[in-house]
Amino acid sequence: MYIAQAFNVLHDWWRYLVGLIIVIIGVVIGQIPFTIAVFYKAFQNGEKLQDLDESKMLSLLEPNLNLFLMLLSFAVGLVAVLFVAKFLHNQSIKHLTTSRPKIDWNRFWFVFIFWGALSSGLVLLDYMLSPEDYVLNFKLVPFLILFIIAVILVPLQTSFEEYLFRGYLMQGIGVLVKNKWVPLIITSLIFGSLHIANPEVEKLGYGIMVYYIGTGLFLGIMTLMDEGLELALGFHAANNLFTALLVTADWTAFQTHSVFKDLSDPTSAGFIDVFMPVFVVFPIILFILSKKYGWTNWKDKLFGRVEAPPVDDYKILEDTGSQE
């Protein structure tokens, strides 16, 4: 059991609180280079700091530099999560990733390729159906630089979010409340709420929050049903990586030297933006994965109790970190 195995490590409530604080500090430290660069550029342009909103900050820097500095904070955050797991909880990366004997990379690559191909196909289909909404944005040298940055740093960004929300916090909250639905709901709400400052929210309205929270639920359900993070890691990495490479817009968080630029001017989050992915596409993907990996007993895996195994079945880790 993915959540229940957290009983096998140091799982006092205060450790998760301290760990979360350390992770937040790590992310803030990682944001310092981006903040310095933006403030310096604003100073050069004669901009007033109080006038810098999220969209303005993202547009000040050259897109590749902006993406690199923005993703750097997530890379530092990932290091912080793994550091906390190792030294505060005596928990290995494998243990934080999966309940299987070893990390199943086949699962990661299956969903990565599956969703990468499908999402790219949907973008190309929309381009063919509505070519007036796009302009070819491809420039070889900037795109190659983007490709290198994205391939290295985007998976670190998405892995940070998965290890923090569907991993560290899912396990931590689960062993505290001793059920599965509470950590699923809480982590999904927090995950979605942290996107509220994205420029997409300003452009599309708060209705887009249904998509962000729904995506958190989708990834959480995937993790609980599959008893591990491999599928969530693969899906999230593919979603952000292929998006960064294929299409950008002036009102998105990822403003890149992508292949296409979206010129459409959406004013509110509608069916295609929100309800289609959350209520149609995501359930279909869960159904496909359930058939491939033989998921059963949905009620217990999503709403069941999280119980500590008998003392004889695992080693109790004392606060000192020693095993008895």
Side-chain angles (χ1 to χ4, degrees), residues 2 10 21 31 81-82 155 162 187 190 199 241 254 287:
Y2 178 66
L10 301 173
I21 293 173
Q31 288 176 336
V81 172
L82 300 180
E162 292 311 308
T187 56
I190 297 175
L241 177 60
F254 277 7
F287 175 77

Side-chain angles (χ1 to χ4, degrees), residues 28 43 89 104 127 160 162 195 204 212 239 247-248 311:
V28 172
F43 175 77
H89 299 272
D104 187 349
Y127 171 70
F160 162 69
E162 292 311 308
H195 291 80
L204 299 174
Y212 291 127
N239 187 72
V247 63
T248 188
V311 174

Side-chain angles (χ1 to χ4, degrees), residues 133-251:
D133 289 339
Y134 294 88
V135 63
L136 188 63
N137 192 51
F138 180 79
K139 297 177 182 178
L140 180 60
V141 174
F143 179 82
L144 290 177
I145 297 173
L146 164 66
F147 183 85
I148 294 171
I149 294 172
V151 167
I152 295 174
L153 290 182
V154 168
L156 297 182
Q157 175 241 330
T158 55
S159 294
F160 162 69
E161 295 182 356
E162 292 311 308
Y163 274 110
L164 177 61
F165 293 105
R166 262 65 65 179
Y168 187 71
L169 292 180
M170 183 85 80
Q171 287 186 342
I173 298 172
V175 297
L176 292 177
V177 302
K178 294 183 174 56
N179 65 50
K180 300 171 186 177
W181 68 270
V182 169
L184 173 61
I185 297 299
I186 290 179
T187 56
S188 300
L189 288 173
I190 297 175
F191 173 79
S193 298
L194 289 179
H195 291 80
I196 199 168
N198 282 18
E200 290 93 334
V201 177
E202 179 181 351
K203 188 69 177 180
L204 299 174
Y206 288 104
I208 193 67
M209 295 303 296
V210 174
Y211 170 77
Y212 291 127
I213 295 172
T215 301
L217 279 170
F218 165 68
L219 293 168
I221 292 171
M222 189 184 294
T223 299
L224 290 177
M225 291 304 303
D226 201 52
E227 301 288 1
L229 284 178
E230 294 98 332
L231 293 177
L233 286 167
F235 180 92
H236 202 163
N239 187 72
N240 288 25
L241 177 60
F242 284 88
T243 298
L245 294 176
L246 271 181
V247 63
T248 188
D250 291 334
W251 44 269

Side-chain angles (χ1 to χ4, degrees), residues 12 51 102 125 180-181 185 192 200 227 232 241 247 260 262 264 281 291-292 318:
D12 311 88
D51 295 334
K102 62 180 181 179
L125 177 63
K180 300 171 186 177
W181 68 270
I185 297 299
E200 290 93 334
E227 301 288 1
L241 177 60
V247 63
F260 298 107
D262 186 352
S264 62
V281 178
K291 294 302 181 182
K292 179 173 177 58
E318 301 294 339

Side-chain angles (χ1 to χ4, degrees), residues 46-60:
E47 301 274 358
K48 295 181 180 180
L49 297 183
Q50 59 267 28
D51 295 334
L52 294 179
D53 57 15
E54 185 77 12
S55 299
K56 186 67 174 178
M57 291 176 68
L58 292 174
S59 64
L60 278 176

Side-chain angles (χ1 to χ4, degrees), residues 26-38:
V27 172
V28 172
I29 292 174
Q31 288 176 336
I32 291 176
F34 174 78
T35 304
I36 292 175
V38 168

